[in-house]
């Protein structure tokens, strides 16, 4: 195996290209089989929130199941016109919760790529961004792998999170959020605090939970800087003491961006996205997870064939994440060479086990804890 890897060029473009080729293959398969050649089906727009008579021409509206569709339909709506941040019907689609309009980063990128939200181009833009995002994760992963003394091909590990398949197939935002977060991590490693903060600012406008990861990674950087500057034989000078706290600058842009955009949405819709569903998504540690596990177990015991498979898949995903985090815990001393990343792993893992059953109920919901996987893999590298 090592001989084969040595033959592969040690360049960050290699994992980037491989990740994009696999992503394009997956999209092509889904487009040809499940979507019947219709790219608008990726958004999974449902009858509950969309009026087929008012939506843009060519947009497929699903009638089956409970008709509620999936989260990608709200990113699609915002991508048509990011200035419509209220919950009223726009382009035939109604937003179910103002929280959606706080996550404007991915739609704005799609709006830009689709030449100002052209309806025929928006579905392709949403897909293309996720494909490109996986390539960027591969490149950033390759760069981090090289810095930690590995072959760039190891960067593919960061693209291998199984939850990204749900993101890619349903026009969701986790891949783009992960790309911005990893970009910020690389910039922090280079001590480019302001640029790192800018990357975090983009990330929190894609998914607000990134602010937690931003705070944890900044804390890791502060601790690392403290160790790097520590000289027991001499008292640090005032400038050296300031240098230890410079990473804190990186948390300012995401905080300003998140609060600023929430105020914009509040002005337009009368409510802050950040305060719209916190009680439904977060609770005491392990309570929601244990409740969700009970639901999964009932599905394995008494559900139909499909329900049993999906319920079992939840247990498999959880076990895999526990294994990866466990490996980090076992080797936490080694992560000090990588910037005290064990702090971020511990913090984001605590956040993940504090999610409620409302978040962790379905297999696709595990896509939302992608940050646990990413920072754990970086720590293991």
């Amino acid at each position: 195996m090592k001989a084969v890897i040595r033959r592969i060029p040690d360049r960050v473009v290699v994992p980037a290209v491989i990740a994009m080729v696999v992503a394009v293959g997956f999209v092509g398969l889904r487009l040809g089989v499940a979507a019947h050649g219709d790219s608008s089906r990726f958004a999974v727009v449902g009858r509950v929130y969309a009026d087929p008579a008012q939506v843009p021409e060519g947009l497929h509206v699903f009638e089956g199941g409970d008709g509620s569709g999936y989260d990608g339909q709200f990113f699609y709506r915002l991508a048509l016109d990011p200035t419509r941040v209220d919950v009223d019907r726009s382009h035939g689609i109604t937003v179910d919760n103002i929280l959606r309009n706080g996550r404007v980063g991915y739609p704005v990128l799609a709006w830009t790529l689709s030449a100002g939200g052209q309806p025929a181009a928006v579905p392709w833009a949403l897909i293309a961004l996720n494909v490109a995002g996986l390539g960027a994760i591969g490149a950033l992963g390759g760069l981090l792998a090289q810095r930690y003394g590995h072959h760039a091909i190891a960067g593919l590990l960061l693209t291998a999170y199984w939850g990204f398949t749900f993101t890619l197939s349903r026009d969701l935002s986790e891949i783009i959020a992960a790309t911005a977060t990893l970009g910020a991590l690389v910039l922090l490693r280079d001590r480019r605090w302001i640029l790192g903060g800018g990357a975090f600012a983009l990330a929190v406008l894609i998914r607000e939970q990134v602010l937690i990861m931003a705070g944890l990674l900044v804390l890791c950087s502060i601790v690392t800087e403290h160790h790097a500057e520590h000289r027991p034989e001499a008292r640090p000078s005032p400038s050296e003491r300031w240098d230890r706290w410079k990473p804190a600058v990186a948390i300012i842009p995401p905080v300003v961006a998140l609060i600023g955009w929430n105020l914009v949405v509040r002005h337009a819709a009368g409510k802050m996205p950040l305060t719209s569903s916190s009680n439904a998504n977060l609770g005491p540690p392990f309570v929601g997870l244990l409740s969700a596990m009970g639901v999964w177990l009932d599905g394995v015991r008494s559900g139909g064939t499909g329900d049993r498979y999906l319920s079992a898949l939840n247990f498999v995903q959880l076990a895999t994440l526990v294994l990866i985090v466990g490996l980090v815990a076992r080797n936490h001393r080694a992560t000090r060479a990588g910037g005290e990343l064990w702090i971020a792993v511990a913090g984001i893992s605590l956040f993940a086990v504090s999610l409620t059953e409302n978040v962790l109920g379905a297999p696709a919901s595990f896509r939302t804890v992608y940050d646990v996987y990413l920072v754990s893999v970086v720590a293991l590298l």
Side-chain angles (χ1 to χ4, degrees):
M1 185 65 176
K2 290 183 178 179
V4 174
I5 292 178
R6 280 196 294 267
R7 295 177 184 176
I8 300 174
D10 188 12
R11 299 179 180 177
V12 297
V13 69
V14 173
V17 170
I18 293 175
M20 289 186 68
V21 168
V22 172
V24 169
F26 177 82
V27 167
L29 186 63
R30 177 167 173 75
L31 187 63
V33 177
H36 308 291
D38 183 0
S39 61
S40 74
R41 287 175 176 253
F42 278 60
V44 194
V45 179
R47 182 68 175 81
V48 170
Y49 299 109
D51 183 349
Q54 297 181 17
V55 298
E57 184 179 356
L59 176 66
H60 182 84
V61 178
F62 286 86
E63 302 280 353
D66 62 3
S68 60
Y70 210 73
D71 296 356
Q73 63 189 319
F74 307 117
F75 290 123
Y76 170 85
R77 195 200 99 152
L78 272 175
L80 291 172
D81 185 359
T83 66
R84 286 298 305 269
V85 292
D86 51 30
V87 293
D88 296 329
R89 177 156 289 184
S90 173
H91 297 87
I93 302 173
T94 303
V95 175
D96 66 336
N97 191 315
I98 198 64
L99 177 67
R100 312 287 186 185
N101 290 338
R103 301 170 177 175
V104 74
Y106 176 42
V108 165
L109 292 174
W111 177 84
T112 303
L113 188 61
S114 61
Q118 296 298 315
V122 165
W124 292 108
L126 292 167
I127 295 170
L129 282 169
N130 278 332
V131 171
L134 278 175
I137 291 173
L140 292 166
L143 181 60
L144 287 168
Q146 287 179 331
R147 293 187 177 185
Y148 294 138
H150 303 287
H151 193 288
I153 199 68
L156 281 177
L157 290 171
L158 292 171
T159 69
Y161 184 56
W162 52 92
F164 288 158
T165 59
F166 293 106
T167 300
L168 186 58
S169 62
R170 300 186 183 185
D171 286 349
L172 304 173
S173 64
E174 291 78 19
I175 290 174
I176 303 301
T179 303
T181 303
L182 284 173
L185 175 57
V186 170
L187 290 166
L188 292 184
R189 294 287 292 152
D190 290 341
R191 293 180 170 82
R192 303 173 75 174
W193 314 123
I194 295 177
L195 289 177
F200 279 138
L202 171 60
V204 298
L205 292 178
I206 299 171
R207 293 192 65 81
E208 69 283 343
Q209 74 182 57
V210 175
L211 186 62
I212 297 172
M213 178 58 76
L216 289 168
L217 290 176
V218 167
L219 178 60
C220 292
S221 298
I222 290 172
V223 174
T224 302
E225 290 296 303
H226 175 79
H227 287 167
E229 297 290 339
H230 183 61
R231 295 184 299 165
E233 71 280 1
R235 294 184 64 182
S237 66
S239 63
E240 288 175 328
R241 285 196 294 268
W242 163 243
D243 287 343
R244 296 175 185 179
W245 292 98
K246 277 185 178 179
V249 172
I251 201 62
I252 297 175
V255 170
V256 171
L258 188 60
I259 294 176
W261 182 248
N262 269 257
L263 290 175
V264 170
V265 176
R266 184 178 183 277
H267 177 74
K271 193 172 183 180
M272 296 267 286
L274 280 175
T275 61
S276 62
S277 64
S278 57
N279 293 334
N281 292 341
L282 283 177
F286 296 104
V287 172
L289 177 60
L290 291 174
S291 178
M293 291 175 68
V295 174
W296 306 342
L297 189 58
D298 288 341
V300 171
R301 287 174 174 173
S302 57
T305 302
D307 290 336
R308 288 182 179 180
Y309 165 75
L310 293 175
S311 297
L313 183 59
N314 284 319
F315 283 106
V316 172
Q317 293 185 89
L318 177 61
T320 305
L321 282 175
V322 169
L323 174 62
I324 294 172
V325 173
L327 289 173
V328 177
R330 180 182 177 185
N331 299 281
H332 74 279
R333 293 184 182 276
T335 66
R336 292 182 178 179
E340 302 288 350
L341 286 171
W342 64 271
I343 297 174
V345 175
I348 203 63
S349 297
L350 178 62
F351 171 79
V353 299
S354 300
L355 295 172
T356 63
E357 178 190 334
N358 180 57
V359 179
L360 298 174
S365 298
F366 270 86
R367 76 185 192 278
T368 63
V369 293
Y370 65 91
D371 36 17
V372 176
Y373 174 85
L374 289 181
V375 74
S376 296
V377 170
V378 173
L380 290 173
L381 286 175

